[in-house]
Amino acid sequence: MTDTSARAPQEVFADHGNRLGSGDLDLISRNYTEDAVFITPDGVLTGREGVKEGIGRLLTDLPDADWQLTPQFAGDVLFLEWTAIGATHRVTDGVDTFVFRDGLISAQTVRYTLTARTK
């Protein structure tokens, strides 16, 4: 097993982006601690299963989306502004906050407004 404790938040985030691109929810969830907290507009999800559920919902709404990200790191916290435009939906005001612990993500708060595209 790979020792993740030596990974800096920037490394975890870069790896997380690569895993998101794969669409493999099991692989994506491995970047989170076992007791991760995932807070979404619909409520709080916990653990790696909760992470898989929350990210899965977003990926379902935005398959093959064009993502634009602006990350800002402050120690073990990442503030991420993002937008995404997919074939049927768009996000124009996405904001995520990630908290990193021991080379993994221990908490993520996701806020966004998802709207259907008319064109």
Side-chain angles (χ1 to χ4, degrees):
M1 181 171 213
T2 304
D3 177 18
T4 59
S5 63
R7 296 193 309 170
Q10 292 87 341
E11 293 174 284
V12 180
F13 179 65
D15 185 47
H16 187 52
N18 291 335
R19 293 181 186 196
L20 279 171
S22 77
D24 182 335
L25 293 174
D26 284 324
L27 186 63
I28 292 165
S29 71
R30 291 185 200 143
N31 261 328
Y32 290 78
T33 61
E34 292 283 354
D35 60 349
V37 177
F38 193 78
I39 304 170
T40 76
D42 297 324
V44 178
L45 302 166
T46 57
R48 288 185 174 160
E49 289 303 312
V51 168
K52 286 166 55 175
E53 180 182 341
I55 293 175
R57 288 181 200 163
L58 188 59
L59 293 179
T60 297
D61 288 330
L62 295 164
D64 301 321
D66 179 20
W67 301 82
Q68 301 296 320
L69 311 173
T70 305
Q72 295 180 337
F73 286 92
D76 288 340
V77 176
L78 163 64
F79 178 75
L80 178 69
E81 293 181 285
W82 57 279
T83 60
I85 300 174
T88 59
H89 292 83
R90 77 173 61 216
V91 170
T92 54
D93 59 351
V95 177
D96 289 17
T97 303
F98 296 81
V99 178
F100 298 86
R101 183 181 81 220
D102 299 330
L104 294 169
I105 302 164
S106 65
Q108 181 180 356
T109 301
V110 180
R111 183 182 58 106
Y112 60 89
T113 302
L114 185 70
T115 55
R117 290 187 64 189
T118 56
K119 291 185 180 185

